[in-house]
Amino acid sequence: MRCYLHAFLLCMIFTFFSLLYVCNQLASTLEEGDDWSLREQGTLDRSAHDSGHPLRKRPGLAGLRDREGLDRVKSGSAVTEHSDGRSHLAVVACGPRLEETLTMLKSAVLLSKKPLHFYIFAEDELHDSFRNALDAWPRTVQTKFNFTIYPITFPKENAKEWKKLFKPCASQRLFLPLILKEVDSLLYVDTDILFLRPVEDIWALLSQFNSSQLAAMAPEHEEPRIGWYNRFARHPYYGKTGINSGVMLMNMTRLREKSFKNDMTTVALQWKEILMPLLQKYKLNITWGDQDLLNIIFHHNPESLYVFPCQWNYRPDHCIYGSNCQQAEHEGVFILHGNRGVYHDNKQPAFRAVYEAIQKHPFGESMETSLLFPLEASLQTTTNSYCGRASHLFTKKLKQSIASVQQDTTLRR
């Protein structure tokens, strides 16, 4: 009987100290939220800077119309902010990612028919390079976008740990809702993304969110037999094969306001409260850094995630073991994600061919003759690889996107 009593007392003591630790982490996180030096203002690089609307709950353009109507009632005058229907695109660039990021932004500008706003988070030494490169683009191109450059910023506590989590600065994306407080919705993409379809098309998915959904991502794998999370993960993950965070669409108003269920405490936690305790609990068990943390969060809150199909985040894993993205087979690839550095080596020449075609295309020249035709010729030389055999999927939607942009340009003339 004494043995059972001793065991019970030990369990109670362990539980008490565990709860004490979690509460201490939460208190620390909340204190950080009060005096966190975010340097939120960023560096303004367009006189037509879009400062963002106050918070709203409805996503996308519907929420904008609601907010504009409210503002008109209050002020009696029309509101111009966001009324141009901009898509808001964020990227985080550290280390040797300048040229890759510029190529991603170029792909967005080339194919989008609606205006864009870029939120560029970069190390201080890259700011002038970004500003000079974007200001050097032709004036006719510059009219299609605004941009703001921000420093890399993490909470003071464990800032070095956050910065080095997985790839340099990658975990910055976790803090975008806390930094861009006046931005309602945002599309975050990795630097190694290429748009083969207009940005406004994925932005339109915000209107498909139901009342509980606040973010959208694609599955990490379609085929469980080659899935990483379901075979190796030492932590909870979303669904059957996990999610990939390289393309992440967010209603940040909802994200800031929601209280998330978790496995650290019976109390639901807000976004600003959950990140630090989550890192402390799982930092020895995560492999893919911030993506793993997102998987853990949405494992416990699956109703909050909208899952879009794999052609919105098409990676080498979708073709190196044979084609396993059925949606792309039917409609083509919408967004190409060249992870594992495939734009810069010879392991996947089909991916590199797309990157180089967009990078080398001169602004102002016909995209059909100076981008599409050279790309199709280059892809013909890659058919000795699995992804090369599927490379017709890379140009299927791109061809339609280019035709649509050129038709729109002709009509405007």
Side-chain angles (χ1 to χ4, degrees):
M1 186 67 180
R2 288 183 179 178
C3 293
Y4 289 118
L5 183 59
H6 288 164
F8 176 76
L9 288 173
L10 286 173
C11 289
M12 291 295 292
I13 293 170
F14 177 78
T15 302
F16 172 77
F17 282 107
S18 296
L19 289 172
L20 188 64
Y21 174 77
V22 170
C23 291
N24 182 61
Q25 290 298 321
L26 291 178
S28 175
T29 301
L30 289 173
E31 288 174 6
E32 285 296 323
D34 292 333
D35 64 352
W36 185 8
S37 176
L38 290 176
R39 293 186 288 167
E40 301 172 11
Q41 298 303 316
T43 304
L44 182 61
D45 291 288
R46 281 282 188 275
S47 59
H49 173 59
D50 197 340
S51 61
H53 264 295
L55 301 183
R56 64 185 188 271
K57 292 186 178 180
R58 293 185 65 192
L61 299 180
L64 286 171
R65 287 192 289 271
D66 289 349
R67 185 68 238 181
E68 287 166 8
L70 179 60
D71 287 341
R72 289 191 182 98
V73 171
K74 288 182 177 180
S75 65
S77 61
V79 176
T80 57
E81 291 180 336
H82 283 271
S83 59
D84 55 3
R86 290 184 183 274
S87 302
H88 294 256
L89 178 65
V91 65
V92 178
C94 287
R97 297 283 183 161
L98 173 68
E99 192 61 37
E100 188 174 85
T101 305
L102 289 170
T103 303
M104 179 276 291
L105 298 175
K106 184 179 181 181
S107 72
V109 170
L110 285 173
L111 299 179
S112 293
K113 292 184 282 186
K114 294 185 178 181
L116 301 160
H117 190 110
F118 299 142
Y119 300 82
I120 302 169
F121 288 78
E123 292 172 308
D124 292 347
E125 55 267 28
L126 295 178
H127 288 198
D128 286 343
S129 297
F130 272 113
R131 187 180 302 107
N132 294 337
L134 293 173
D135 284 342
W137 286 3
R139 290 295 177 187
T140 53
V141 175
Q142 292 187 33
T143 60
K144 299 177 65 175
F145 69 95
N146 294 336
F147 69 90
T148 314
I149 299 177
Y150 292 83
I152 298 296
T153 312
F154 293 105
K156 293 178 181 177
E157 182 183 355
N158 295 337
K160 292 182 179 180
E161 191 171 6
W162 280 116
K163 186 172 183 178
K164 295 179 180 180
L165 187 65
F166 190 45
K167 294 181 181 178
C169 305
S171 58
Q172 178 75 85
R173 84 184 84 183
L174 296 175
F175 301 98
L176 297 183
L178 308 180
I179 298 172
L180 303 175
K181 294 179 181 178
E182 296 301 315
V183 179
D184 171 74
S185 298
L186 191 71
L187 174 63
Y188 165 85
V189 296
D190 285 346
T191 61
D192 51 9
I193 290 295
L194 293 172
F195 291 95
L196 307 182
R197 184 172 176 175
V199 175
E200 57 263 26
D201 289 352
I202 188 171
W203 186 257
L205 295 181
L206 284 166
S207 64
Q208 297 185 23
F209 284 16
N210 64 28
S211 59
S212 66
Q213 292 167 337
L214 50 80
M217 286 177 273
E220 174 69 12
H221 286 284
E222 277 61 46
E223 175 51 66
R225 290 177 297 177
I226 60 173
W228 192 91
Y229 283 107
N230 55 291
R231 293 189 297 159
F232 305 116
R234 296 179 294 164
H235 57 78
Y237 56 89
Y238 178 87
K240 294 182 178 179
T241 60
I243 46 175
N244 184 280
S245 60
V247 180
M248 184 178 180
L249 186 62
M250 294 177 277
N251 181 321
M252 298 205 299
T253 298
R254 291 182 178 181
L255 195 148
R256 283 184 287 259
E257 293 177 349
K258 181 178 172 61
S259 294
F260 293 87
K261 298 185 293 289
N262 61 87
D263 59 359
M264 299 174 293
T265 172
T266 56
V267 179
L269 303 175
Q270 289 193 314
W271 194 259
K272 64 182 179 180
E273 302 167 335
I274 199 171
L275 297 177
M276 186 69 72
L278 205 61
L279 176 63
Q280 294 297 331
K281 177 172 182 176
Y282 285 105
K283 62 182 178 181
L284 298 180
N285 293 322
I286 58 177
T287 301
W288 308 113
D290 52 304
Q291 178 174 290
D292 290 348
L293 298 182
L294 289 169
N295 266 280
I296 295 167
I297 291 172
F298 288 108
H299 168 85
H300 294 291
N301 302 270
E303 75 286 350
S304 298
L305 188 67
Y306 177 98
V307 180
F308 50 65
C310 48
Q311 74 250 51
W312 290 107
N313 187 350
Y314 190 95
R315 287 161 279 121
D317 283 349
H318 290 119
C319 50
I320 57 177
Y321 306 111
S323 183
N324 58 56
C325 178
Q326 293 184 2
Q327 294 90 339
E329 291 281 354
H330 296 297
E331 300 177 282
V333 175
F334 298 165
I335 293 178
L336 197 68
H337 186 176
N339 62 339
R340 302 180 182 176
V342 294
Y343 294 150
H344 312 293
D345 59 31
N346 295 316
K347 293 180 180 179
Q348 299 299 334
F351 278 77
R352 182 169 181 170
V354 180
Y355 176 82
E356 291 181 346
I358 294 173
Q359 183 187 39
K360 294 176 181 178
H361 167 70
F363 281 119
E365 293 192 14
S366 166
M367 283 192 285
E368 187 176 51
T369 56
S370 69
L371 194 164
L372 182 61
F373 293 165
L375 173 59
E376 289 178 325
S378 181
L379 289 175
Q380 290 295 320
T381 67
T382 70
T383 54
N384 60 331
S385 65
Y386 278 118
C387 289
R389 290 170 199 155
S391 62
H392 61 285
L393 304 178
F394 298 0
T395 56
K396 189 172 185 176
K397 180 55 67 173
L398 177 62
K399 192 179 301 183
Q400 297 174 15
S401 299
I402 289 174
S404 179
V405 170
Q406 292 183 338
Q407 182 181 17
D408 186 67
T409 302
T410 303
L411 290 174
R412 283 190 283 109
R413 286 176 181 170

